[in-house]
Amino acid sequence: MTEVITMITFNNLVQTIQGAVDQAAESVSRENINGLLEYFHPLASDEKTDSGSDNGKTISVADLEKMSPRMVQLQYPKITKDGPAEHFVSVPLITLSPIPILQVSDVQVEMDLEIVESDGEIMVGFPQAKQAGESTDSKASTTGGSNAKITLNIKANEKPMGVQSLIEGYNKTLRAQLPN
């Protein structure tokens, strides 16, 4: 029985893998932005304060023109000459929780390929599983198909300078509200 192998250029294989990695990185980036946006309310063009709710609406990049921080009011003790007094502090949620920033750090691709040269171009194919009883040294014969293994490592990264500066600015605003 003749084995039919579909061949593609090595260049197309590499471009396809690169495209998949780019899509994974874009997806991680989009999730990073969506995670960050959970700390903010979108403002309508006529709103001037943080008074509304986004009613669970998914925020898009088009909504990012004006945002206000989600805030909580926390009671903080203030010592006065008459003793402790009630003092409320407006605290941006972004200052209270760590914000993980993820990025694709490593991609490893391992697969069984047949490689041939055709008209000066390197072609690769994905061999089909051998029929029962055929001998081969290929991993494909023991697994019932071509062997492919893809490992995509995603790691937490340091916050971009813009995010770090934003959080530091809100931290300064918070410290200014605290009594000495």
Side-chain angles (χ1 to χ4, degrees), residues 11-147:
N11 190 38
N12 283 345
L13 175 66
V14 171
Q15 286 176 347
T16 300
I17 292 170
Q18 179 64 48
V21 170
D22 290 346
Q23 286 178 348
E26 182 180 322
S27 178
V28 168
S29 176
R30 196 175 320 113
E31 286 303 313
N32 284 336
I33 290 171
N34 287 337
L36 181 64
L37 291 178
E38 289 186 22
Y39 295 94
F40 294 89
H41 293 286
L43 289 177
S45 58
D46 59 339
E47 281 186 82
K48 299 206 192 286
T49 63
D50 182 23
S51 60
S53 166
D54 59 9
N55 297 323
K57 175 187 166 214
T58 302
I59 300 171
S60 70
V61 174
D63 295 325
L64 299 180
E65 290 183 23
K66 294 184 181 180
M67 307 285 290
S68 72
R70 293 183 189 267
M71 306 286 277
V72 294
Q73 296 289 315
L74 297 179
Q75 186 176 351
Y76 194 84
K78 180 177 183 177
I79 305 299
T80 66
K81 63 181 178 182
D82 298 327
E86 188 178 273
H87 177 73
F88 285 93
V89 178
S90 295
V91 181
L93 285 179
I94 198 167
T95 64
L96 297 177
S97 175
I99 299 173
I101 301 295
L102 303 176
Q103 84 176 48
V104 176
S105 66
D106 185 30
V107 177
Q108 299 172 14
V109 179
E110 178 183 314
M111 61 184 78
D112 289 333
L113 298 173
E114 182 170 319
I115 301 173
V116 296
E117 185 271 333
S118 176
D119 297 327
E121 189 151 20
I122 296 175
M123 304 293 287
V124 295
F126 304 92
Q128 302 297 314
K130 302 286 183 192
Q131 295 292 325
E134 289 186 50
S135 67
T136 180
D137 294 331
S138 171
K139 292 179 190 174
S141 66
T142 60
T143 61
S146 296
N147 182 36

